Amino acid sequence: GATDKKYNFEYFLNRAYAFNRDKGKCRVCDEELKPFNLHIHHIDPHLPQASVNRVNNLAAVHEHCHRQIHSREDYASLGKKIWKKIIAFREKLNRLM
């Protein structure tokens, strides 16, 4: 992953802005993020290089929430609110592929 050309200087710079914009909380489960489990999700990873790492295309999420977004498994047992957010992120990814 991190060798992909979308992981450039702008990405590493804007990670902090996305974290601050999200108030240090996961955009999926709304729980506090810690440095050891912080991931930054590209909402639309297929944007042109000039746009892919803009703050509005980055979402601060937990590592396990990030895996759930990219998984094909059913996580409805997590509760309606969280499952709805996971589905919304998945739909954006799938719509854009």
Side-chain angles (χ1 to χ4, degrees):
T3 58
D4 188 324
K5 67 181 180 178
K6 73 179 170 243
Y7 297 101
N8 60 16
F9 179 74
E10 183 183 22
Y11 167 78
F12 290 101
L13 181 69
N14 286 340
R15 285 168 39 108
Y17 289 108
F19 176 81
N20 287 330
R21 180 210 49 223
D22 296 338
K23 297 180 173 116
K25 292 187 176 185
C26 177
R27 294 260 304 262
V28 173
C29 67
D30 204 34
E31 293 184 15
E32 183 181 356
L33 290 161
K34 301 289 185 190
F36 64 87
N37 68 1
L38 169 65
H39 274 219
I40 300 296
H41 171 67
H42 284 93
I43 296 168
D44 179 355
H46 307 291
L47 288 174
Q49 186 66 33
S51 303
V52 74
N53 290 314
R54 292 198 174 151
V55 176
N56 64 349
N57 191 48
L58 302 175
V61 294
H62 285 111
E63 178 182 7
H64 63 275
C65 291
H66 198 199
R67 274 188 269 124
Q68 291 168 352
I69 292 169
H70 288 280
S71 172
R72 296 187 192 277
E73 291 185 40
D74 184 336
Y75 292 99
S77 62
L78 295 173
K80 187 176 182 179
K81 184 177 177 182
I82 293 173
W83 180 236
K84 201 172 180 181
K85 289 180 183 180
I86 291 170
I87 290 297
F89 277 117
R90 284 183 183 178
E91 285 174 351
K92 290 175 186 174
L93 283 174
N94 292 331
R95 180 185 76 227
L96 304 166
M97 291 180 140

XYZ file of all heavy atoms in Angstrom:
815
model
N 0.767 -1.197 0.000
C 0.000 0.000 0.000
C 0.809 1.262 0.000
O 0.638 2.103 -0.857
N 1.729 1.440 0.964
C 2.420 2.720 1.119
C 3.400 3.008 -0.011
O 3.922 4.103 -0.105
C 3.134 2.774 2.464
N 3.659 2.061 -0.890
C 4.540 2.324 -2.030
C 3.749 2.851 -3.226
O 4.331 3.279 -4.202
C 5.308 1.052 -2.448
O 4.360 0.036 -2.760
C 6.234 0.596 -1.346
N 2.434 2.831 -3.154
C 1.580 3.371 -4.199
C 1.865 4.863 -4.351
O 2.106 5.561 -3.364
C 0.122 3.150 -3.796
C -0.865 3.481 -4.879
O -0.644 4.435 -5.642
O -1.889 2.777 -4.956
N 1.820 5.376 -5.568
C 2.168 6.772 -5.808
C 1.219 7.756 -5.132
O 1.571 8.921 -4.960
C 2.260 7.055 -7.304
C 0.961 6.964 -8.042
C 1.157 7.248 -9.520
C -0.176 7.154 -10.240
N -0.048 7.462 -11.636
N 0.035 7.303 -4.705
C -0.865 8.233 -4.014
C -0.373 8.561 -2.599
O -0.812 9.520 -1.999
C -2.301 7.730 -4.017
C -2.595 6.577 -3.124
C -4.077 6.209 -3.210
C -4.323 4.919 -2.522
N -4.790 3.867 -3.386
N 0.554 7.763 -2.075
C 1.106 8.037 -0.748
C 2.336 8.930 -0.878
O 3.458 8.503 -0.680
C 1.443 6.727 -0.027
C 0.220 5.887 0.226
C -0.081 4.799 -0.587
C -0.644 6.189 1.262
C -1.212 4.029 -0.367
C -1.780 5.429 1.498
C -2.049 4.360 0.678
O -3.171 3.612 0.897
N 2.083 10.175 -1.202
C 3.172 11.135 -1.399
C 3.239 12.108 -0.224
O 2.554 11.944 0.780
C 2.991 11.864 -2.738
C 1.682 12.635 -2.809
O 1.031 12.879 -1.798
N 1.287 13.006 -4.013
N 4.038 13.139 -0.378
C 4.215 14.125 0.693
C 2.886 14.762 1.093
O 2.603 14.951 2.268
C 5.230 15.195 0.256
C 5.453 16.255 1.284
C 6.195 15.988 2.421
C 4.906 17.520 1.130
C 6.403 16.962 3.394
C 5.104 18.492 2.091
C 5.847 18.214 3.219
N 2.066 15.084 0.103
C 0.771 15.716 0.384
C -0.097 14.814 1.267
O -0.764 15.281 2.181
C 0.046 16.028 -0.923
C -1.278 16.741 -0.714
C -2.038 16.985 -2.001
O -1.793 16.287 -3.008
O -2.912 17.870 -1.989
N -0.085 13.513 1.003
C -0.850 12.568 1.816
C -0.398 12.630 3.272
O -1.220 12.758 4.178
C -0.691 11.146 1.269
C -1.189 10.077 2.212
C -2.539 9.813 2.353
C -0.301 9.325 2.979
C -3.006 8.840 3.215
C -0.749 8.346 3.839
C -2.100 8.111 3.957
O -2.558 7.144 4.827
N 0.909 12.547 3.493
C 1.419 12.538 4.870
C 1.178 13.876 5.569
O 0.922 13.909 6.769
C 2.888 12.123 4.886
C 3.064 10.672 4.553
C 3.457 10.273 3.299
C 2.769 9.695 5.487
C 3.588 8.927 2.970
C 2.883 8.344 5.183
C 3.290 7.965 3.921
N 1.197 14.945 4.837
C 0.908 16.267 5.399
C -0.575 16.383 5.769
O -0.918 16.863 6.853
C 1.289 17.347 4.385
C 1.071 18.784 4.795
C 2.058 19.171 5.900
C 1.269 19.694 3.592
N -1.452 15.939 4.883
C -2.888 16.119 5.083
C -3.519 15.116 6.041
O -4.655 15.311 6.473
C -3.610 16.100 3.739
C -3.379 17.386 2.984
O -3.007 18.403 3.560
N -3.588 17.351 1.679
N -2.802 14.064 6.383
C -3.311 13.119 7.389
C -3.659 13.848 8.684
O -4.711 13.628 9.275
C -2.269 12.041 7.691
C -2.099 10.999 6.645
C -0.858 10.132 6.890
N -0.626 9.806 8.278
C -0.810 8.604 8.825
N -1.190 7.598 8.078
N -0.584 8.392 10.088
N -2.772 14.725 9.122
C -3.001 15.474 10.367
C -4.214 16.388 10.246
O -4.997 16.520 11.187
C -1.758 16.275 10.732
N -4.385 17.020 9.090
C -5.547 17.886 8.883
C -6.843 17.071 8.924
O -7.837 17.508 9.499
C -5.438 18.632 7.550
C -4.385 19.706 7.557
C -3.202 19.532 6.848
C -4.558 20.889 8.269
C -2.220 20.510 6.854
C -3.589 21.875 8.279
C -2.424 21.686 7.568
O -1.462 22.647 7.574
N -6.839 15.893 8.312
C -8.030 15.040 8.333
C -8.336 14.587 9.765
O -9.501 14.600 10.189
C -7.831 13.832 7.424
N -7.306 14.204 10.503
C -7.476 13.793 11.899
C -8.088 14.936 12.715
O -9.042 14.727 13.468
C -6.119 13.378 12.483
C -6.161 13.037 13.940
C -6.586 11.792 14.355
C -5.760 13.960 14.893
C -6.619 11.466 15.715
C -5.792 13.648 16.238
C -6.222 12.399 16.647
N -7.561 16.147 12.548
C -8.088 17.296 13.285
C -9.508 17.647 12.852
O -10.357 17.957 13.687
C -7.172 18.505 13.120
C -5.899 18.353 13.909
O -5.881 17.699 14.953
N -4.824 18.924 13.417
N -9.783 17.592 11.557
C -11.130 17.885 11.057
C -12.136 16.908 11.666
O -13.243 17.286 12.027
C -11.163 17.767 9.533
C -12.533 18.071 8.948
C -12.870 17.344 7.671
N -12.616 15.930 7.758
C -12.046 15.219 6.791
N -11.682 15.783 5.661
N -11.846 13.919 6.941
N -11.728 15.642 11.798
C -12.604 14.616 12.363
C -12.579 14.611 13.892
O -13.151 13.722 14.521
C -12.225 13.243 11.804
C -12.441 13.165 10.300
O -13.240 13.963 9.754
O -11.798 12.315 9.649
N -11.910 15.595 14.469
C -11.857 15.805 15.922
C -11.305 14.598 16.672
O -11.724 14.286 17.781
C -13.225 16.193 16.449
C -13.708 17.505 15.869
C -15.054 17.890 16.392
C -15.376 19.268 15.892
N -16.471 19.389 15.027
N -10.371 13.878 16.016
C -9.721 12.740 16.665
C -10.620 11.538 16.843
O -10.317 10.654 17.636
N -11.730 11.505 16.095
C -12.672 10.390 16.208
C -12.795 9.676 14.870
O -12.673 10.272 13.813
C -14.046 10.887 16.646
C -14.049 11.416 18.064
C -15.431 11.722 18.509
C -15.394 12.160 19.975
N -16.736 12.346 20.485
N -13.066 8.397 14.945
C -13.243 7.554 13.768
C -14.525 7.948 13.043
O -15.575 8.109 13.672
C -13.303 6.092 14.206
S -13.617 4.930 12.857
N -14.437 8.095 11.728
C -15.615 8.467 10.934
C -16.610 7.318 10.805
O -17.731 7.530 10.375
C -15.188 8.925 9.538
C -14.388 10.197 9.504
C -15.156 11.447 9.149
N -15.858 11.412 7.900
C -15.432 11.925 6.758
N -14.246 12.488 6.682
N -16.189 11.877 5.690
N -16.220 6.111 11.193
C -17.137 4.972 11.127
C -17.842 4.779 12.467
O -19.059 4.842 12.546
C -16.406 3.677 10.710
C -17.332 2.472 10.813
C -15.855 3.804 9.308
N -17.082 4.552 13.522
C -17.695 4.215 14.815
C -17.780 5.396 15.776
O -18.366 5.287 16.843
C -16.944 3.059 15.467
S -15.264 3.468 15.983
N -17.187 6.530 15.416
C -17.244 7.767 16.198
C -16.534 7.654 17.557
O -16.797 8.432 18.455
C -18.695 8.218 16.378
C -18.796 9.708 16.631
O -17.986 10.471 16.072
O -19.691 10.126 17.413
N -15.645 6.673 17.695
C -14.878 6.532 18.929
C -13.512 7.187 18.772
O -13.022 7.362 17.657
C -14.736 5.053 19.301
C -16.061 4.433 19.690
C -15.925 2.996 20.147
O -14.789 2.548 20.431
O -16.955 2.313 20.209
N -12.892 7.515 19.891
C -11.597 8.186 19.883
C -10.522 7.342 19.195
O -10.446 6.132 19.393
C -11.166 8.477 21.329
C -9.879 9.237 21.431
C -9.466 9.503 22.872
O -10.229 9.151 23.801
O -8.383 10.052 23.070
N -9.709 8.005 18.395
C -8.600 7.343 17.706
C -7.323 7.492 18.524
O -7.076 8.534 19.114
C -8.381 7.980 16.332
C -9.474 7.711 15.313
C -9.409 8.728 14.188
C -9.324 6.312 14.763
N -6.535 6.453 18.555
C -5.218 6.465 19.194
C -4.168 6.321 18.105
O -4.435 5.710 17.063
C -5.092 5.293 20.183
C -6.123 5.308 21.288
C -5.862 6.405 22.269
C -6.841 6.297 23.425
N -6.824 7.422 24.290
N -2.966 6.836 18.312
C -1.929 6.755 17.268
C -1.649 5.337 16.782
O -1.360 5.133 15.608
C -0.697 7.355 17.936
C -1.231 8.241 19.008
C -2.511 7.580 19.482
N -1.768 4.336 17.651
C -1.431 2.964 17.259
C -2.486 2.311 16.370
O -2.221 1.286 15.754
C -1.167 2.083 18.484
C -2.361 1.896 19.379
C -3.274 0.876 19.149
C -2.564 2.742 20.462
C -4.373 0.700 19.966
C -3.666 2.578 21.286
C -4.570 1.564 21.036
N -3.700 2.880 16.296
C -4.713 2.266 15.433
C -5.351 3.256 14.456
O -6.413 3.012 13.925
C -5.777 1.529 16.254
C -6.654 2.450 17.070
O -6.521 3.663 17.037
N -7.571 1.868 17.819
N -4.678 4.358 14.207
C -5.158 5.379 13.282
C -4.812 5.005 11.848
O -3.662 4.716 11.530
C -4.522 6.734 13.622
C -4.703 7.856 12.609
C -6.167 8.241 12.480
C -3.862 9.054 13.000
N -5.820 4.976 10.999
C -5.636 4.805 9.559
C -6.319 5.969 8.867
O -7.273 6.533 9.396
C -6.278 3.508 9.078
C -5.401 2.323 9.215
N -5.353 1.329 8.277
C -4.526 1.954 10.184
C -4.495 0.406 8.652
N -3.987 0.761 9.820
N -5.830 6.317 7.699
C -6.461 7.352 6.897
C -6.980 6.681 5.626
O -6.214 6.102 4.868
C -5.485 8.499 6.568
C -4.962 9.159 7.842
C -6.158 9.525 5.662
C -6.007 9.863 8.692
N -8.279 6.762 5.433
C -8.951 6.122 4.298
C -9.122 7.119 3.159
O -9.558 8.246 3.381
C -10.321 5.612 4.759
C -11.206 5.129 3.669
N -10.919 4.006 2.927
C -12.378 5.619 3.186
C -11.881 3.820 2.038
N -12.776 4.790 2.176
N -8.741 6.710 1.940
C -9.020 7.502 0.742
C -10.471 7.209 0.339
O -10.790 6.076 -0.031
C -8.099 7.111 -0.413
C -6.720 7.640 -0.288
N -5.701 6.913 0.289
C -6.184 8.827 -0.668
C -4.596 7.634 0.259
N -4.853 8.796 -0.312
N -11.330 8.192 0.415
C -12.734 8.006 0.087
C -12.885 7.620 -1.386
O -13.605 6.701 -1.733
C -13.539 9.275 0.433
C -13.476 9.505 1.954
C -14.992 9.155 -0.049
C -13.964 10.851 2.414
N -12.181 8.326 -2.253
C -12.147 7.986 -3.681
C -10.687 7.821 -4.092
O -10.031 8.797 -4.445
C -12.822 9.071 -4.515
C -12.782 8.781 -6.009
O -12.148 7.789 -6.423
O -13.387 9.554 -6.766
N -10.159 6.605 -4.040
C -8.750 6.383 -4.356
C -8.434 6.504 -5.842
O -7.279 6.454 -6.238
C -8.492 4.961 -3.871
C -9.815 4.300 -3.933
C -10.831 5.365 -3.647
N -9.454 6.697 -6.679
C -9.257 6.750 -8.120
C -9.206 8.175 -8.671
O -9.160 8.350 -9.885
C -10.365 5.960 -8.822
C -10.488 4.570 -8.291
N -9.516 3.605 -8.493
C -11.433 3.993 -7.522
C -9.880 2.501 -7.889
N -11.036 2.704 -7.293
N -9.214 9.162 -7.798
C -9.104 10.549 -8.254
C -7.733 10.784 -8.885
O -6.785 10.048 -8.605
C -9.279 11.515 -7.069
C -10.681 11.657 -6.501
C -10.637 12.536 -5.251
C -11.624 12.252 -7.529
N -7.611 11.826 -9.688
C -6.294 12.168 -10.239
C -5.306 12.478 -9.113
O -5.705 12.893 -8.022
C -6.564 13.416 -11.072
C -8.034 13.464 -11.279
C -8.659 12.709 -10.152
N -4.039 12.303 -9.373
C -2.988 12.515 -8.372
C -3.105 13.885 -7.698
O -2.863 14.016 -6.507
C -1.603 12.353 -9.022
C -0.450 12.422 -8.055
C -0.426 11.263 -7.067
O -0.824 10.154 -7.379
N 0.023 11.513 -5.864
N -3.500 14.894 -8.436
C -3.608 16.243 -7.884
C -4.747 16.381 -6.873
O -4.763 17.326 -6.089
C -3.799 17.252 -9.014
N -5.687 15.448 -6.854
C -6.853 15.555 -5.973
C -6.979 14.453 -4.933
O -7.668 14.627 -3.934
C -8.136 15.539 -6.811
O -8.128 16.571 -7.755
N -6.329 13.329 -5.149
C -6.545 12.146 -4.313
C -6.195 12.365 -2.842
O -6.817 11.774 -1.963
C -5.819 10.909 -4.882
C -4.318 10.976 -4.670
C -6.393 9.624 -4.312
N -5.255 13.235 -2.551
C -4.814 13.431 -1.165
C -5.298 14.732 -0.537
O -4.799 15.149 0.498
C -3.289 13.348 -1.089
C -2.811 11.943 -1.334
O -3.346 10.991 -0.774
N -1.824 11.790 -2.192
N -6.291 15.326 -1.141
C -6.879 16.523 -0.528
C -7.624 16.101 0.724
O -8.157 14.992 0.809
C -7.802 17.220 -1.506
C -7.004 17.815 -2.654
C -7.780 18.844 -3.382
N -6.901 19.468 -4.382
C -7.325 19.964 -5.499
N -8.620 19.938 -5.791
N -6.489 20.512 -6.345
N -7.681 16.988 1.694
C -8.281 16.672 2.991
C -9.719 16.181 2.842
O -10.130 15.247 3.537
C -8.207 17.887 3.940
C -8.906 17.611 5.252
C -6.758 18.274 4.193
N -10.485 16.754 1.914
C -11.884 16.336 1.778
C -12.024 14.928 1.208
O -13.120 14.373 1.207
C -12.687 17.336 0.957
C -12.203 17.449 -0.469
O -11.142 16.941 -0.822
N -12.965 18.132 -1.288
N -10.942 14.319 0.755
C -10.978 12.936 0.262
C -10.364 11.955 1.261
O -10.230 10.783 0.973
C -10.250 12.828 -1.094
C -10.502 11.498 -1.762
O -11.636 11.045 -1.855
N -9.438 10.859 -2.214
N -10.000 12.429 2.432
C -9.382 11.588 3.455
C -10.303 11.489 4.667
O -10.920 12.474 5.060
C -8.026 12.172 3.873
C -6.995 12.348 2.762
C -5.745 13.044 3.314
C -6.622 11.019 2.130
N -10.373 10.307 5.253
C -11.198 10.082 6.440
C -10.370 9.358 7.492
O -9.750 8.333 7.209
C -12.422 9.252 6.091
N -10.358 9.882 8.702
C -9.658 9.248 9.820
C -10.532 8.106 10.358
O -11.709 8.308 10.665
C -9.383 10.268 10.921
N -9.954 6.908 10.416
C -10.695 5.726 10.874
C -9.770 4.810 11.684
O -8.554 4.889 11.568
C -11.293 4.925 9.688
C -12.357 5.722 8.953
C -10.217 4.469 8.723
N -10.389 3.951 12.493
C -9.626 2.905 13.182
C -9.125 1.890 12.163
O -9.753 1.703 11.110
C -10.511 2.156 14.183
C -10.805 2.911 15.415
N -12.064 3.381 15.697
C -10.014 3.289 16.443
C -12.041 4.016 16.853
N -10.816 3.984 17.328
N -8.047 1.206 12.506
C -7.515 0.162 11.629
C -8.580 -0.883 11.320
O -8.777 -1.262 10.158
C -6.297 -0.494 12.274
C -5.710 -1.611 11.453
C -4.528 -2.293 12.124
O -4.227 -1.989 13.298
O -3.909 -3.139 11.462
N -9.294 -1.352 12.357
C -10.301 -2.401 12.129
C -11.503 -1.873 11.332
O -12.070 -2.590 10.525
C -10.737 -3.074 13.437
C -11.400 -2.170 14.408
N -10.704 -1.395 15.300
C -12.708 -1.906 14.628
C -11.539 -0.693 16.030
N -12.764 -0.979 15.648
N -11.854 -0.618 11.507
C -12.946 -0.031 10.715
C -12.514 0.097 9.252
O -13.315 -0.124 8.340
C -13.351 1.318 11.278
S -14.162 1.217 12.900
N -11.243 0.422 9.037
C -10.714 0.530 7.683
C -10.780 -0.830 6.983
O -11.184 -0.930 5.818
C -9.277 1.058 7.730
C -8.790 1.602 6.440
N -7.464 1.767 6.175
C -9.433 2.033 5.324
C -7.317 2.265 4.958
N -8.506 2.437 4.429
N -10.404 -1.883 7.699
C -10.493 -3.231 7.133
C -11.933 -3.591 6.786
O -12.208 -4.225 5.770
C -9.917 -4.271 8.098
C -8.415 -4.418 7.947
C -7.866 -5.572 8.767
N -7.496 -5.031 10.077
C -7.930 -5.467 11.252
N -8.704 -6.508 11.317
N -7.562 -4.908 12.366
N -12.870 -3.171 7.631
C -14.282 -3.464 7.381
C -14.795 -2.732 6.144
O -15.604 -3.276 5.395
C -15.119 -3.093 8.607
C -14.841 -4.001 9.779
C -15.434 -3.496 11.081
O -15.936 -2.385 11.166
N -15.356 -4.327 12.106
N -14.325 -1.526 5.905
C -14.723 -0.778 4.709
C -14.293 -1.533 3.458
O -15.055 -1.667 2.505
C -14.113 0.636 4.710
C -14.731 1.492 5.812
C -14.290 1.310 3.343
C -14.010 2.815 6.052
N -13.068 -2.053 3.455
C -12.517 -2.713 2.271
C -12.869 -4.199 2.176
O -12.563 -4.836 1.188
C -10.989 -2.531 2.232
C -10.598 -1.132 1.904
N -10.590 -0.639 0.624
C -10.220 -0.103 2.710
C -10.209 0.631 0.639
N -9.988 0.977 1.894
N -13.535 -4.721 3.185
C -13.918 -6.130 3.206
C -15.242 -6.337 2.468
O -15.987 -5.401 2.216
C -14.076 -6.588 4.653
O -14.611 -7.867 4.729
N -15.531 -7.578 2.158
C -16.828 -7.915 1.551
C -17.731 -8.599 2.579
O -18.843 -9.004 2.256
C -16.626 -8.835 0.346
C -15.862 -8.176 -0.763
C -15.841 -9.087 -1.985
N -14.902 -8.654 -2.990
C -15.136 -7.725 -3.901
N -16.285 -7.103 -3.912
N -14.226 -7.408 -4.799
N -17.239 -8.721 3.795
C -18.009 -9.405 4.834
C -19.158 -8.539 5.330
O -19.138 -7.330 5.222
C -17.096 -9.766 6.008
C -16.089 -10.839 5.661
C -15.269 -11.258 6.864
O -15.844 -11.368 7.968
O -14.068 -11.463 6.696
N -20.140 -9.202 5.922
C -21.305 -8.540 6.487
C -21.018 -8.211 7.957
O -20.784 -9.114 8.755
C -22.516 -9.473 6.377
C -23.797 -8.825 6.852
O -23.745 -7.872 7.658
O -24.858 -9.284 6.426
N -21.036 -6.925 8.284
C -20.792 -6.498 9.664
C -22.041 -5.880 10.274
O -21.964 -5.047 11.167
C -19.636 -5.491 9.714
C -18.305 -6.107 9.378
C -17.754 -5.988 8.103
C -17.590 -6.815 10.331
C -16.525 -6.555 7.791
C -16.370 -7.393 10.028
C -15.849 -7.252 8.759
O -14.635 -7.816 8.460
N -23.210 -6.271 9.801
C -24.468 -5.714 10.296
C -24.631 -5.927 11.797
O -25.332 -5.166 12.459
C -25.648 -6.313 9.541
N -23.967 -6.934 12.346
C -24.068 -7.209 13.781
C -23.433 -6.100 14.628
O -23.630 -6.055 15.833
C -23.399 -8.547 14.104
O -22.021 -8.493 13.793
N -22.699 -5.188 13.998
C -22.078 -4.085 14.732
C -23.088 -3.022 15.146
O -22.784 -2.158 15.936
C -20.988 -3.413 13.878
C -19.781 -4.269 13.548
C -18.874 -3.538 12.571
C -19.020 -4.618 14.817
N -24.251 -3.093 14.588
C -25.280 -2.104 14.879
C -25.612 -1.308 13.629
O -24.785 -1.134 12.737
N -26.827 -0.832 13.574
C -27.353 -0.175 12.386
C -26.548 1.076 12.001
O -26.245 1.285 10.830
C -28.818 0.184 12.611
C -29.518 0.711 11.402
C -30.984 0.941 11.681
C -31.693 1.439 10.425
N -33.107 1.649 10.672
N -26.208 1.896 12.981
C -25.513 3.161 12.702
C -24.128 2.918 12.089
O -23.774 3.516 11.080
C -25.397 3.970 13.993
C -24.797 5.329 13.817
C -24.779 6.090 15.131
C -24.116 7.432 14.970
N -24.043 8.164 16.238
N -23.347 2.035 12.688
C -21.998 1.742 12.192
C -22.074 1.033 10.841
O -21.343 1.372 9.909
C -21.200 0.917 13.223
C -20.928 1.770 14.468
C -19.896 0.406 12.623
C -20.291 1.025 15.612
N -22.968 0.051 10.727
C -23.107 -0.688 9.472
C -23.484 0.255 8.331
O -22.977 0.150 7.221
C -24.126 -1.803 9.640
C -24.358 -2.621 8.414
C -25.550 -2.844 7.808
C -23.398 -3.342 7.639
N -25.397 -3.651 6.713
C -24.075 -3.969 6.584
C -22.021 -3.515 7.729
C -23.441 -4.749 5.623
C -21.373 -4.290 6.777
C -22.082 -4.896 5.740
N -24.341 1.216 8.608
C -24.766 2.185 7.603
C -23.576 3.013 7.100
O -23.447 3.276 5.907
C -25.830 3.093 8.212
C -26.714 3.789 7.241
C -27.834 4.494 8.002
C -28.745 5.203 7.045
N -29.814 5.903 7.724
N -22.689 3.391 8.002
C -21.498 4.165 7.617
C -20.535 3.308 6.793
O -19.963 3.781 5.810
C -20.800 4.728 8.851
C -21.584 5.836 9.512
C -20.863 6.360 10.725
C -21.665 7.416 11.452
N -20.957 7.924 12.630
N -20.352 2.054 7.195
C -19.480 1.147 6.439
C -20.024 0.972 5.023
O -19.283 1.060 4.039
C -19.341 -0.219 7.158
C -18.530 -0.049 8.446
C -18.686 -1.256 6.239
C -18.542 -1.268 9.343
N -21.325 0.752 4.914
C -21.962 0.584 3.604
C -21.783 1.847 2.753
O -21.489 1.767 1.560
C -23.463 0.244 3.761
C -23.628 -1.161 4.315
C -24.210 0.395 2.441
C -23.099 -2.258 3.422
N -21.920 3.017 3.363
C -21.771 4.271 2.616
C -20.358 4.398 2.049
O -20.184 4.764 0.878
C -22.098 5.458 3.518
N -19.347 4.085 2.852
C -17.966 4.126 2.358
C -17.749 3.081 1.264
O -17.101 3.351 0.260
C -16.953 3.906 3.485
C -16.626 5.154 4.265
C -16.932 5.237 5.609
C -15.997 6.220 3.660
C -16.623 6.380 6.340
C -15.685 7.372 4.374
C -15.993 7.451 5.716
N -18.304 1.880 1.457
C -18.160 0.827 0.441
C -18.814 1.233 -0.870
O -18.284 0.982 -1.937
C -18.783 -0.481 0.930
C -17.961 -1.208 1.947
C -18.646 -2.507 2.296
N -17.930 -3.239 3.324
C -18.346 -4.389 3.831
N -19.480 -4.940 3.404
N -17.655 -4.990 4.773
N -19.991 1.834 -0.782
C -20.690 2.254 -1.998
C -19.875 3.272 -2.774
O -19.828 3.233 -3.999
C -22.067 2.803 -1.646
C -23.059 1.720 -1.273
C -24.384 2.252 -0.788
O -24.527 3.478 -0.557
O -25.296 1.426 -0.617
N -19.224 4.183 -2.058
C -18.377 5.164 -2.739
C -17.206 4.489 -3.428
O -16.863 4.830 -4.547
C -17.889 6.220 -1.745
C -18.978 7.137 -1.283
C -18.505 8.088 -0.215
C -19.659 8.895 0.323
N -19.284 9.729 1.458
N -16.605 3.503 -2.772
C -15.506 2.767 -3.378
C -15.977 1.982 -4.594
O -15.338 2.023 -5.655
C -14.882 1.790 -2.379
C -13.952 2.356 -1.334
C -13.554 1.257 -0.349
C -12.744 2.972 -1.949
N -17.076 1.267 -4.452
C -17.563 0.418 -5.544
C -18.109 1.227 -6.706
O -17.951 0.837 -7.855
C -18.646 -0.537 -5.026
C -18.075 -1.555 -4.080
O -16.910 -1.928 -4.184
N -18.882 -2.020 -3.145
N -18.725 2.348 -6.425
C -19.260 3.198 -7.467
C -18.141 3.753 -8.337
O -18.298 3.986 -9.512
C -20.063 4.335 -6.834
C -20.675 5.295 -7.840
C -21.367 6.461 -7.180
N -20.356 7.383 -6.702
C -20.336 7.939 -5.497
N -21.265 7.656 -4.631
N -19.388 8.761 -5.138
N -17.011 3.927 -7.718
C -15.910 4.592 -8.387
C -14.981 3.621 -9.109
O -14.097 4.034 -9.823
C -15.135 5.415 -7.367
C -16.016 6.418 -6.632
C -15.300 6.949 -5.414
C -16.439 7.545 -7.526
N -15.154 2.343 -8.910
C -14.260 1.364 -9.524
C -14.603 1.139 -10.980
O -15.632 1.254 -11.453
C -14.294 0.052 -8.762
C -13.681 0.167 -7.412
S -13.758 -1.424 -6.603
C -12.182 -1.411 -5.828
